[in-house]
Amino acid sequence: LEVSVAVDPSCDPGLSLVPEQVAQTVASGETATFVSTLQVDGSAPRGTLTCRIGFTLDGVPGGPGFVQTVHVDLTGDVIPPVVSCPPGPNPAGTLSGDSSDGYYRMIALDDVDPNVDIYVRDTASNLRFGPYANGTTFKLTQAPGGKVEVKPFTGAVQNRFTLNGDAELMGVDDSGNTATTVCVVAPHTL
């Protein structure tokens, strides 16, 4: 006597089961083997997610002896920080509203790590500076062919970066998750 065995998963939101084969027919009393992959969506909530995998026999639930339960622990930090470089104040503390003057703030926000390290990389020379704290204010000057450096600045602006290219900000949280953004300013001759 043959029986059709099928996978019937029920997973928590953010978790899904992808079987290589949804159903197979076996002789009564033989073992049906299924290979599946559990996929975790990036928007899955933190904590322990559960997937209950039931099996049907000729379309009828097989009962408690035909259920496998899998738990996935998502308590670790798996989401990278969000990094941005909005306009920052000039030395007098005034915001210009755009960043064409080269004044920026370093912003890196993370849902777990309140103190994301921020690094600044020159996109032309690949030199890297940092780490800096969230909220650090800076003046960016792009001087192709010039000396790449960072120096303390004045007033409400903490640092001045003179780079050959643009400034790539990279946020790194305590779990090693990273994200980047590029702060752009027009080239300037010193």
Side-chain angles (χ1 to χ4, degrees):
L1 183 63
E2 291 189 334
V3 62
S4 175
V5 181
V7 177
D8 184 24
S10 175
C11 300
D12 288 341
L15 186 63
S16 60
L17 181 86
V18 181
E20 288 182 7
Q21 186 177 6
V22 176
Q24 58 183 278
T25 301
V26 296
S28 182
E30 288 185 2
T31 300
T33 302
F34 291 89
V35 176
S36 300
T37 302
L38 281 172
Q39 293 183 340
V40 179
D41 185 86
S43 64
R46 294 205 183 301
T48 300
L49 300 181
T50 301
C51 191
R52 181 188 169 279
I53 306 141
F55 296 91
T56 62
L57 308 173
D58 288 332
V60 178
F66 292 87
V67 175
Q68 180 180 14
T69 303
V70 178
H71 302 284
V72 177
D73 183 12
L74 294 180
T75 56
D77 183 6
V78 296
I79 301 172
V82 175
V83 181
S84 63
C85 50
N90 64 22
T94 305
L95 283 173
S96 67
D98 69 27
S99 54
S100 62
D101 56 6
Y103 293 105
Y104 290 98
R105 286 184 308 132
M106 298 179 193
I107 302 295
L109 304 174
D110 189 74
D111 62 342
V112 175
D113 181 2
N115 300 308
V116 175
D117 290 331
I118 304 172
Y119 295 87
V120 178
R121 183 183 68 86
D122 179 359
T123 60
S125 72
N126 282 324
L127 287 175
R128 190 170 103 166
F129 304 94
Y132 298 94
N134 185 47
T136 298
T137 56
F138 67 103
K139 166 73 171 157
L140 174 59
T141 301
Q142 187 183 130
K147 181 179 178 183
V148 175
E149 63 184 359
V150 59
K151 291 183 175 181
F153 208 50
T154 184
V157 183
Q158 294 164 289
N159 298 293
R160 177 182 178 164
F161 291 89
T162 303
L163 307 177
N164 292 159
D166 291 315
E168 178 188 71
L169 300 186
M170 179 174 68
V172 182
D173 68 19
D174 284 340
S175 297
N177 300 310
T178 64
T180 61
T181 192
V182 176
C183 313
V184 178
V185 68
H188 175 76
T189 303
L190 293 177

